[in-house]
Amino acid sequence: MGVIFCVCRNYVGIQLEVEKVQSRGPIAALKRVSVSERGSLMAAAELREANDTRKKYSLEAHYRRSVSHHRMSAMKLIVFCLIPHSVKQEENLITDQSVTFNKRLQQIKIRRSRNEFPFELDPKRVNLGKLPTRDMGVANATLLVLIIVFCSLLEASFVLGRVHRHSKKHHDPDSGLYGSISQPPGYPPSESPIPGDGGNSSSDSSIFDVRSFGAVGDCVTDDTSAFRSAWEAACKTEYGVLLVPSGYTFTITSTIFSGPCRNGFVFQVDGVLMPPDGPDNWPKEDSPRQWLVFYRMDGMTLQGEGVIEGNGQKWWDLPCKPHRGPNGSTLHGPCDSPVAVRFFESSNLTLRNIRIQNSPQFHVKFDACDSVLIDSVSISSPALSPNTDGIHIQDSKYVGIYNSLIRNGDDCISIGPGCSDVDIQNVTCGPSHGISIGSLGYQHSLACVSNISVSNSVIRNSDNGVRIKTWQGGMGTVRSITFTNVFMENVRNCIIIDQYYCLSKECRNQTSAVQVADVAYRNIKGTYDVRSPPIHFACSDAMPCANITLGEVELLPAEGEMVADPFCWNTYGGLETLTIPPISCLQDGAPLSLTEGEKVFNVVQFGAAANGVTDDTKAFQSAWAAACKVAGSTVLVPAKHEFLVGPISFPGPYCQPNINFQVDGIIYAPIDRKAWRGFELLQWIQFTKLRGITVTGQGTIDGRGSAWWGESKTQDPALRFYGSFDVSVSGITIQNSPQCHLKFDSCTGVTVTNVSISSPATSANTDGIHLQNSKNVLLHHSKLACGDDCVSIQTGSSNINIRNLDCGPGHGISIGGLGRDNTRACVSNITVRDINLYGTMTGVRIKTWQGGAGWVQGVTFSNIVVSEVQFPIVIDQYYCDKATCKNQTSAVALAGITYQWIRGSYTVKPVHLACSDSVPCNGVILNNIQLHPAQAARRIAQPFCWRSFGILQGPLEPPVPCLQVGNPFKGHIQSSMDMC
């Protein structure tokens, strides 16, 4: 009987695995076949709707073959278990062998999901340990026959259960999703070597079950600490697996899982993960904009049979952002709401076979990622849940999205700026807002999107089908886009380009726009919602859509017989075939503004040698003089050319507005000091007194400043704007400036985005971005690495918004130094948030000289992540860059300074608040500070405060007992503040 129990127990284990495959239907079986088998099967499965029946039976036939193969594997294991040994020995081994088998089976499931060996459970590879053997007698042979008959009867009982359950699969409304699954081109699953004995076994030490680290999984207990501990252990292990086991529901708070980890890391979610329920239960110390963040990972896989549950309902009901409800009503929606899963600055990622649902905002976001595979993912939230994009990608390239089902309240897939080489296949979308490129060009920003392909997909009951949407006033291009073999079912705006995208009625007309060109729509068929035309092309007046191609487009009304006419505005292109409905509004050829180029002034055409040696300064001046006379013109510095340009000023009092300075090549500063004679060393390239000036492109401005670094006298900034309005800088790289890289002086309305600034950490006074006497400034999504402050804010600056920057090396983000030489300084309304600082001297700093006057007030530093920063939080009112500075009684007053959600590692001192004796700091708020010493730290100092008054809120690590509570001024405002 002991042998019978062993054999049948193992057989039942394998049979349950077969049950799991069957419960998933034909697709689960199909995923286990080889690439060659799948390719032959897909040849029959690629037919369209007329062959649905044949596709279904073809898939089910293969499914039956796969299940049969499972049973053969089970029988192999039965024979293996019956290796000749005595019944008595078997009885002694029953418990040990059963437990060992279950452990091995768990490892095999995980390794199989990573495609490390085929689906068959080959007994030679399932190493259960050495079993004692001896000759099998006649009795054991007879017993073998009886066991096979017994297990055959057991198999029949399983078959009876399967027949009933499988018959219901035909009623699945989403079964059509997998009608034409194909192998994703160019994204084969990578085979990782298996640690251990030559790739044939896996060690228990590579699997890290979160329960082993203290996780409870009862849906109530906060398991965050256990997950972080499990992450740290698994991350350090080659082919480590962080296991979230099935049958448990784990609650964790906002967490950043940081890499890089060792090769082959897997985050295996077989249970349920969920955040705290709604904003009222969200920990105050956690960022409300993100929940699960995977940062700087390489080669990670997120997969499993479980669920990532976002608990989004209470976030959707926040009275912040209205959105459309049923029957034309207006519902509330989110403001600051967390993204469920975010991958940031990561590469070689795999997301597959997992379900994500009910996110407060985006379900999955890929930001600045490279080489991403998304396969067989299910994403869902209610149709009226606001801003719940299924998959959002931005600043990412080489992304494949395959075989997935998305139903949500916003775009199924949204593609933001900076994306290229994105392939989307076999996706079923809806209800939703469709598949969108955009929105692009928000707040005059640069947007470049290219090489996007959407094919073999279905969109149902959605507000939009395939859409491109841009804001007025943006810059950049959208090109090389193809939509092929997309079936629409009751969709509004099946095909839409909207270059007047706006979320309110207050958007004004503007002359610049993102250019849309080279877009093809082929074999787009189905039905449309009659409330809107099936085809809508609303292109920019200033930048028409070009080379729009349509072929085999057949869209009929879902109700009635009246076919609506397509709408076109400023759209140029052609038809490959006749379409339904007919399109007569599409204009032939190319727009004149794109062919004649009357607004583009190429510096090469004005005499630039473009060899990087000859002085091209005069050619640049001539091109500017011509462009200055034409509103909305472009000075082009073409790509693949190098230009040597001396000190130059582009004046603007009499220029037309909205001039674009397009830098796609490389501009070098002269090294020979003779080129600087006769010029004041205040700037190298300067734009003055302009309205609507834009510097954009994908080129480089190289100051070649190494010859100047270390000199005591003032050097020149690389790029300076003075006295200008509506200034935008985007896309370019500025490097090796003699002094600060990018300077704004007395400007109003400044936007800087997607800019890269760099110089060596030892280069003196090379601030990244310097602001002075400027207001209404937005700096975002840029990378800065330099020898001084990444961003420095000087006197006269107000309404400054800085977010989503990477800073390091450098001196951090600083306000000041202010009040030098007894001057007045006034700075107000500064917000710095969502910043990453790496290896900088200071994190977020306010520095003032003694003897100054004026004030700094209304400053917020929020959601700052520091990594090995010497001094993360600094107020220094005794700033001095000389050998000696004398004590003085007057000082710039500091009030209303908030530090919240500051976390990470430091190397010297976490908090340093050194305020003036005569004018103490007032209203300093420390809220949810989590700072710990870095591993490399040698000398650790405690927080320091001097004459600092304010409030402590939330958990603080380390504690800051030195901050005094109360108001040092007892109801009166000091004279320093009156001076502003």
Side-chain angles (χ1 to χ4, degrees):
M1 292 304 295
V3 177
I4 294 176
F5 179 80
C6 172
V7 172
C8 293
R9 176 186 178 93
N10 291 339
Y11 178 79
V12 170
I14 298 300
Q15 189 66 42
L16 290 176
E17 287 300 300
V18 176
E19 282 290 284
K20 288 185 179 180
V21 174
Q22 182 181 21
S23 66
R24 300 179 197 134
I27 298 313
L30 179 59
K31 292 175 185 173
R32 271 65 176 183
V33 305
S34 66
V35 174
S36 60
E37 289 178 298
R38 188 184 301 184
S40 62
L41 182 61
M42 287 314 105
E46 289 178 349
L47 296 178
R48 301 292 299 174
E49 301 165 47
N51 296 322
D52 282 344
T53 303
R54 184 155 63 94
K55 286 187 291 185
K56 179 181 67 175
Y57 287 112
S58 175
L59 289 169
E60 291 181 349
H62 192 95
Y63 156 69
R64 288 193 294 271
R65 290 198 300 272
S66 180
V67 172
S68 298
H69 191 75
H70 254 301
R71 294 171 186 152
M72 289 301 298
S73 298
M75 297 308 297
K76 290 180 184 178
L77 190 60
I78 291 172
V79 177
F80 172 71
C81 188
L82 289 174
I83 292 175
H85 54 284
S86 68
V87 173
K88 182 177 180 180
Q89 288 172 320
E90 179 61 54
E91 289 174 349
N92 294 333
L93 291 172
I94 286 174
T95 303
D96 293 339
Q97 292 301 325
S98 299
V99 172
T100 303
F101 175 82
N102 290 333
K103 286 184 178 179
R104 292 297 184 195
L105 184 60
Q106 179 68 21
Q107 295 164 1
I108 290 168
K109 287 170 62 180
I110 294 172
R111 292 169 61 203
R112 186 182 67 225
S113 68
R114 296 194 328 211
N115 296 310
E116 292 174 354
F117 52 74
F119 185 70
E120 295 89 338
L121 292 177
D122 188 343
K124 295 181 180 179
R125 304 180 74 172
V126 184
N127 182 10
L128 296 178
K130 295 182 179 179
L131 297 175
T133 62
R134 63 179 55 182
D135 295 337
M136 176 184 288
V138 175
N140 279 351
T142 303
L143 184 60
L144 172 62
V145 174
L146 293 176
I147 290 171
I148 293 175
V149 172
F150 176 79
C151 291
S152 299
L153 295 175
L154 183 63
E155 176 187 358
S157 66
F158 277 105
V159 171
L160 290 175
R162 284 196 300 270
V163 169
H164 175 69
R165 179 165 48 207
H166 183 66
S167 64
K168 294 184 178 181
K169 285 299 280 189
H170 298 294
H171 301 287
D172 183 1
D174 299 312
S175 60
L177 164 64
Y178 301 103
S180 58
I181 293 180
S182 61
Q183 175 69 12
Y187 294 90
S190 58
E191 294 188 2
S192 303
I194 304 171
D197 55 349
N200 292 329
S201 67
S202 177
S203 172
D204 287 345
S205 61
S206 65
I207 301 176
F208 299 85
D209 190 323
V210 293
R211 293 174 299 174
S212 301
F213 295 84
V216 178
D218 60 358
C219 193
V220 177
T221 305
D222 184 355
D223 293 319
T224 307
S225 178
F227 271 74
R228 290 173 177 169
S229 298
W231 174 274
E232 291 180 3
C235 185
K236 300 174 183 177
T237 304
E238 194 90 1
Y239 303 103
V241 177
L242 189 154
L243 177 62
V244 182
S246 61
Y248 297 87
T249 299
F250 300 92
T251 300
I252 63 174
T253 60
S254 177
T255 302
I256 299 177
F257 297 104
S258 296
C261 294
R262 300 290 295 275
N263 292 336
F265 181 85
V266 174
F267 198 108
Q268 181 82 16
V269 180
D270 290 332
V272 178
L273 287 180
M274 64 171 54
D277 187 16
D280 292 339
N281 295 313
W282 200 264
K284 302 300 181 183
E285 65 272 18
D286 289 350
S287 168
R289 299 183 184 90
Q290 55 195 26
W291 175 33
L292 303 179
V293 180
F294 299 96
Y295 175 56
R296 289 194 169 180
M297 295 298 298
D298 184 17
M300 173 187 166
T301 296
L302 173 60
Q303 64 182 19
E305 299 175 355
V307 177
I308 297 178
E309 167 62 55
N311 280 344
Q313 182 64 56
K314 294 181 180 179
W315 295 91
W316 305 331
D317 294 336
L318 289 176
C320 301
K321 183 177 181 181
H323 64 285
R324 188 173 58 209
N327 301 320
S329 62
T330 299
L331 300 178
H332 299 305
C335 24
D336 281 344
S337 302
V339 174
V341 180
R342 181 190 183 205
F343 293 89
F344 180 49
E345 291 189 355
S346 299
S347 59
N348 301 308
L349 302 171
T350 300
L351 177 68
R352 64 186 171 199
N353 301 327
I354 196 165
R355 188 169 63 187
I356 306 171
Q357 62 190 30
N358 299 322
S359 175
Q361 203 188 56
F362 298 166
H363 286 78
V364 187
K365 182 178 182 181
F366 295 89
D367 191 351
C369 294
D370 187 339
S371 302
V372 177
L373 171 61
I374 304 167
D375 190 14
S376 303
V377 170
S378 174
I379 295 175
S380 63
S381 65
L384 297 180
S385 55
N387 294 102
T388 53
D389 293 43
I391 300 172
H392 178 81
I393 58 177
Q394 69 180 52
D395 297 316
S396 298
K397 58 184 178 180
Y398 305 116
V399 178
I401 304 174
Y402 306 113
N403 311 322
S404 296
L405 171 64
I406 305 173
R407 296 172 292 190
N408 58 317
D410 210 299
D411 297 329
C412 285
I413 301 171
S414 55
I415 301 173
C419 292
S420 63
D421 299 290
V422 178
D423 186 32
I424 301 169
Q425 293 190 45
N426 301 314
V427 170
T428 293
C429 164
S432 70
H433 292 186
I435 298 176
S436 293
I437 298 174
S439 57
L440 306 176
Y442 181 61
Q443 293 186 340
H444 306 280
S445 61
L446 173 71
C448 296
V449 176
S450 62
N451 298 331
I452 311 296
S453 174
V454 178
S455 63
N456 303 323
S457 296
V458 176
I459 301 177
R460 297 172 174 155
N461 303 315
S462 298
D463 281 358
N464 303 283
V466 288
R467 173 169 61 159
I468 300 173
K469 52 181 177 176
T470 72
W471 295 77
Q472 294 190 73
M475 298 162 290
T477 59
V478 175
R479 63 175 61 250
S480 299
I481 313 296
T482 60
F483 301 103
T484 308
N485 298 335
V486 180
F487 181 77
M488 307 285 180
E489 183 178 315
N490 192 32
V491 175
R492 296 184 68 178
N493 302 309
C494 296
I495 296 174
I496 178 171
I497 296 176
D498 181 6
Q499 293 208 270
Y500 299 88
Y501 182 72
C502 179
L503 295 178
S504 69
K505 297 181 180 179
E506 300 177 356
C507 297
R508 61 179 182 176
N509 289 330
Q510 301 187 49
T511 55
S512 62
V514 177
Q515 180 187 355
V516 178
D518 304 327
V519 183
Y521 303 89
R522 296 186 175 95
N523 200 26
I524 313 296
K525 299 181 179 181
T527 60
Y528 66 90
D529 187 324
V530 296
R531 290 176 294 174
S532 299
I535 300 172
H536 183 96
F537 293 136
C539 298
S540 166
D541 289 312
M543 192 68 67
C545 300
N547 197 23
I548 308 300
T549 303
L550 296 96
E552 297 293 336
V553 173
E554 298 177 5
L555 298 169
L556 298 173
E559 298 177 356
E561 298 180 357
M562 182 65 69
V563 178
D565 292 331
F567 172 83
C568 308
W569 179 259
N570 224 13
T571 309
Y572 291 78
L575 302 178
E576 294 178 339
T577 66
L578 295 178
T579 63
I580 302 176
I583 302 176
S584 59
C585 56
L586 195 65
Q587 302 182 61
D588 294 332
L592 293 177
S593 59
L594 296 179
T595 56
E596 295 180 0
E598 71 276 6
K599 290 188 176 182
V600 178
F601 300 88
N602 191 325
V603 295
V604 174
Q605 296 174 347
F606 287 83
N611 56 17
V613 178
T614 306
D615 187 352
D616 292 324
T617 306
K618 290 184 178 180
F620 273 65
Q621 290 173 332
S622 299
W624 176 263
C628 180
K629 302 173 183 178
V630 181
S633 60
T634 296
V635 175
L636 178 61
V637 182
K640 300 180 181 179
H641 293 82
E642 299 178 354
F643 304 87
L644 178 65
V645 177
I648 189 170
S649 179
F650 300 108
Y654 306 106
C655 282
Q656 295 294 319
N658 301 323
I659 298 177
N660 179 32
F661 197 92
Q662 181 86 18
V663 181
D664 291 327
I666 302 176
I667 303 176
Y668 289 112
I671 298 176
D672 188 354
R673 298 201 175 205
K674 295 180 180 179
W676 299 92
R677 290 178 181 174
F679 294 91
E680 295 182 6
L681 296 181
L682 297 177
Q683 73 283 322
W684 169 32
I685 300 173
Q686 177 176 243
F687 295 88
T688 64
K689 299 182 179 179
L690 291 158
R691 183 174 294 274
I693 176 64
T694 297
V695 176
T696 186
Q698 299 179 353
T700 301
I701 297 176
D702 191 338
R704 300 203 286 192
S706 58
W708 304 92
W709 297 331
E711 293 194 2
S712 58
K713 61 182 180 180
T714 303
Q715 291 87 41
D716 56 312
L719 183 59
R720 179 183 183 229
F721 294 86
Y722 174 74
S724 297
F725 297 84
D726 298 330
V727 180
S728 177
V729 180
S730 61
I732 64 172
T733 296
I734 310 174
Q735 62 190 31
N736 300 323
S737 175
Q739 203 191 47
C740 70
H741 290 76
L742 179 58
K743 183 175 183 179
F744 299 93
D745 191 350
S746 302
C747 293
T748 300
V750 174
T751 300
V752 178
T753 181
N754 293 316
V755 167
S756 176
I757 293 176
S758 64
S759 64
T762 56
S763 55
N765 297 316
T766 53
D767 294 41
I769 301 174
H770 181 86
L771 305 174
Q772 180 173 321
N773 294 317
S774 296
K775 60 184 180 180
N776 302 335
V777 177
L778 173 62
L779 314 178
H780 67 104
H781 292 97
S782 296
K783 297 182 179 182
L784 305 99
C786 50
D788 210 301
D789 297 326
C790 289
V791 180
S792 57
I793 303 172
Q794 279 289 347
T795 183
S797 297
S798 63
N799 299 330
I800 311 297
N801 189 338
I802 302 172
R803 58 181 173 86
N804 300 106
L805 299 185
D806 286 350
C807 167
H811 293 184
I813 296 178
S814 296
I815 299 175
L818 304 175
R820 182 170 186 168
D821 298 329
N822 302 320
T823 56
R824 181 183 67 176
C826 302
V827 175
S828 63
N829 298 333
I830 311 296
T831 298
V832 179
R833 65 179 178 89
D834 305 330
I835 307 296
N836 297 306
L837 300 114
Y838 316 101
T840 57
M841 184 183 76
T842 59
V844 287
R845 172 172 59 162
I846 301 174
K847 53 182 179 178
T848 71
W849 295 75
Q850 294 188 73
W855 46 249
V856 176
Q857 68 173 6
V859 178
T860 298
F861 301 106
S862 175
N863 195 28
I864 312 295
V865 179
V866 298
S867 178
E868 298 188 356
V869 172
Q870 295 180 39
F871 303 90
I873 297 174
V874 174
I875 293 178
D876 181 6
Q877 293 208 269
Y878 300 88
Y879 181 72
C880 177
D881 63 358
K882 304 175 183 178
T884 59
C885 292
K886 64 179 182 179
N887 290 327
Q888 301 187 50
T889 56
S890 63
V892 177
L894 273 60
I897 314 298
T898 299
Y899 302 89
Q900 60 187 10
W901 304 319
I902 315 294
R903 60 193 183 278
S905 61
Y906 65 93
T907 59
V908 179
K909 184 189 298 182
V911 179
H912 181 91
L913 307 177
C915 298
S916 169
D917 287 310
S918 57
V919 188
C921 300
N922 182 30
V924 176
I925 298 175
L926 297 179
N927 180 11
N928 296 298
I929 309 299
Q930 299 293 318
L931 297 171
H932 58 271
Q935 294 181 352
R938 296 182 179 179
R939 297 179 301 163
I940 301 298
Q942 296 300 314
F944 172 82
C945 310
W946 179 258
R947 300 290 285 162
S948 305
F949 292 79
I951 302 173
L952 300 176
Q953 297 177 340
L956 300 177
E957 179 61 37
V960 189
C962 56
L963 185 69
Q964 302 179 64
V965 178
N967 185 345
F969 302 112
K970 299 179 181 180
H972 69 273
I973 300 176
Q974 64 274 31
S975 58
S976 292
M977 298 186 70
D978 295 336
M979 296 187 68
C980 289

